[in-house]
Amino acid sequence: MLLLAAAGLVAFVLLLYMVSPLISPKPLALPGAHVVVTGGSSGIGKCIAIECYKQGAFITLVARNEDKLLQAKKDIEKHSINDKQVVLCISVDVSQDYNQVENVIKQAQEKLGPVDMLVNCAGTSMSGKFEELEVSSFEKLMSINYLGSVYPSRAVITTMKERRVGRIVFVSSQAGQLGLFGFTAYSSSKFAIRGLAEALQMEVKPYNVYVTVAYPPDTDTPGLAEENKTKPLETRLISETTAICKPEQVAKQIVKDAIQGNFNSSIGSDGYMLSSLTCGMAPVTSITEGLQQVVTMGLFRTIALFYLGSFDNIVRRCMVQKAKPEVVDKTA
Ligand SMILES: NC(=O)C1=CN([C@@H]2O[C@H](COP(=O)(O)OP(=O)(O)OC[C@H]3O[C@@H](n4cnc5c(N)ncnc54)[C@H](OP(=O)(O)O)[C@@H]3O)[C@@H](O)[C@H]2O)C=CC1
Ligand SMILES: CCCCCCCCCCCCCCCC(=O)[C@@H](N)CO
């Protein structure tokens, strides 16, 4: 009886693997492709642009500061593999005016052809306790991190659907998979991206357009250095659970997953666990991925409970620590 059940299971898994080409997208060819990277003048975005350029793509960088854009262009051009490759720079705020974003995307398409891959990497972070963050910070993060991903995507999607070709990448964060101390404004803007990506993927899959959401851990970039200046102690201690990644490594993984059309892109063992644990109703892009999620869910939740316990401990210890000087004051 047991043998029969085991044989049945094996047959079922084999069957799944036979139909797997039906759910695995055809990889995108980067040589000659037009890749637009928002936030491409710094950090992870710049490394993504370099990675695509190294594989023969034509690049459009989108960011606000023109000097940083030109410097990034120079850095990227060092990696050219043929003399036809172009790096185009566009200075625009992706979060302000949809029409403006649509116009610059049009200009880029006129120069370098239709966009094959859009990477939404422009973003920023602000941390602090809920009551200490300015209300305007919630608006700002939502408009840069969320609307700043909606506008460029909205500007490229029609052509992608018509051509039956395309990749849209969203850069969320591990803080877009779990909410943690200090990130009430940031986490919510990064969670929003996940909802957008899931809904969009369901719409565009029949048109051979694939969506990728990346969830990087802390990554060594100018953005992180800026964030660290005002990060609460609790946030820092909790974030230290995961090691700081190199932007080149994060970029390589994101580009690889985007080419393959994987919905999820994560890095490291905790990235892998977090993505399995929070897969929810996310689309699945390979049988192996689906099976791994089914098999590991209970184990990873168990591990997560220990992490949550340790995070609560950090928060409590910091609270007690901060209360101490006051006690001393009162007795003095
Ligand atoms: N570094 C980290 O630890 C992690 C980062 N992330 C996410 O990855 C992304 C990149 O982060 P990172 O490389 O650290 O960031 P950086 O601060 O190093 O770079 C941010 C880039 O985005 C551009 N940008 C910011 N705001 C706008 C805007 N309104 N319009 C157009 N461009 C804009 C910046 O150029 P300019 O200012 O000139 O416009 C710059 O090119 C962000 O979305 C971030 O949330 C996720 C997880 C971890
Ligand atoms: C099985 C469960 C495993 C659980 C592992 C949990 C690890 C939590 C660490 C969260 C770190 C958050 C990094 C945010 C980075 C970021 O987005 C900012 N630096 C942006 O600037």
Side-chain angles (χ1 to χ4, degrees):
M1 192 61 191
L2 204 68
L3 209 68
L4 210 67
L9 191 72
V10 170
F12 179 66
V13 169
L14 281 177
L15 193 80
L16 279 180
Y17 272 95
M18 275 165 62
V19 299
S20 70
L22 295 178
I23 61 164
S24 298
K26 200 169 137 266
L28 178 82
L30 272 191
H34 180 191
V35 178
V36 174
V37 187
T38 75
S41 67
S42 171
I44 298 173
K46 186 165 107 179
C47 289
I48 290 175
I50 291 176
E51 189 58 33
C52 293
Y53 197 68
K54 276 183 180 168
Q55 298 188 36
F58 289 60
I59 309 288
T60 298
L61 301 177
V62 180
R64 292 162 305 178
N65 185 300
E66 290 183 18
D67 295 338
K68 273 201 304 183
L69 276 167
L70 288 177
Q71 185 55 49
K73 176 179 154 86
K74 275 190 202 150
D75 295 345
I76 295 165
E77 280 171 344
K78 288 178 195 147
H79 300 272
S80 80
I81 60 163
N82 65 58
D83 49 18
K84 292 199 188 77
Q85 277 180 291
V86 176
V87 180
L88 184 69
C89 293
I90 292 183
S91 167
V92 74
D93 186 329
V94 289
S95 68
Q96 289 307 305
D97 174 17
Y98 175 69
N99 290 324
Q100 210 179 356
V101 174
E102 194 181 45
N103 273 336
V104 299
I105 294 283
K106 254 193 206 134
Q107 284 168 27
Q109 309 221 60
E110 274 158 21
K111 290 198 176 120
L112 300 184
V115 178
D116 296 286
M117 179 156 124
L118 165 69
V119 183
N120 292 295
C121 195
T124 189
S125 103
M126 278 172 237
S127 56
K129 278 186 213 158
F130 187 49
E131 68 274 21
E132 281 165 9
L133 282 165
E134 297 285 345
V135 173
S136 63
S137 301
F138 289 81
E139 289 162 5
K140 194 171 163 207
L141 287 185
M142 212 58 186
S143 76
I144 299 179
N145 295 349
Y146 172 67
L147 292 176
S149 301
V150 173
Y151 296 166
S153 306
R154 178 73 167 61
V156 300
I157 198 68
T158 307
T159 311
M160 283 188 176
K161 283 173 76 176
E162 278 167 10
R163 294 175 64 226
R164 303 284 196 276
V165 177
R167 294 287 189 268
I168 296 191
V169 179
F170 296 102
V171 180
S172 177
S173 159
Q174 282 191 352
Q177 299 180 300
L178 81 162
L180 51 97
F181 192 107
F183 281 151
T184 48
Y186 180 72
S187 273
S188 37
S189 72
K190 291 298 187 179
F191 268 75
I193 286 175
R194 164 72 171 264
L196 165 68
E198 280 192 15
L200 179 62
Q201 178 63 94
M202 201 184 280
E203 285 188 20
V204 300
K205 199 162 154 187
Y207 297 86
N208 195 38
V209 176
Y210 284 89
V211 175
T212 298
V213 191
Y215 303 99
D218 271 343
T219 305
D220 186 10
T221 65
L224 181 67
E226 193 57 37
E227 176 190 75
N228 279 340
K229 289 181 188 164
T230 57
K231 211 180 237 179
L233 178 63
E234 290 91 336
T235 314
R236 193 160 58 75
L237 292 173
I238 293 171
S239 302
E240 278 169 5
T241 308
T242 61
I244 296 181
C245 270
K246 293 244 161 302
E248 292 83 5
Q249 186 196 0
V250 172
K252 240 194 179 109
Q253 187 64 44
I254 293 176
V255 172
K256 191 173 156 215
D257 286 315
I259 289 174
Q260 287 176 356
N262 294 340
F263 185 74
N264 181 83
S265 179
S266 54
I267 229 167
S269 53
D270 28 54
Y272 171 72
M273 287 196 287
L274 267 177
S275 287
S276 292
L277 188 62
T278 61
C279 63
M281 285 289 276
V284 62
T285 25
S286 83
I287 297 288
T288 315
E289 184 191 24
L291 280 175
Q292 280 173 353
Q293 290 163 346
V294 170
V295 171
T296 58
M297 189 68 77
L299 173 68
F300 289 170
R301 179 61 181 163
T302 312
I303 297 172
L305 294 178
F306 286 96
Y307 275 104
L308 286 172
S310 87
F311 297 164
D312 281 348
N313 268 330
I314 290 173
V315 174
R316 204 173 312 115
R317 267 189 287 128
C318 287
M319 194 180 96
V320 171
Q321 204 74 39
K322 274 177 204 152
K324 261 183 191 160
E326 276 177 38
V327 175
V328 173
D329 279 346
K330 275 175 199 158
T331 50

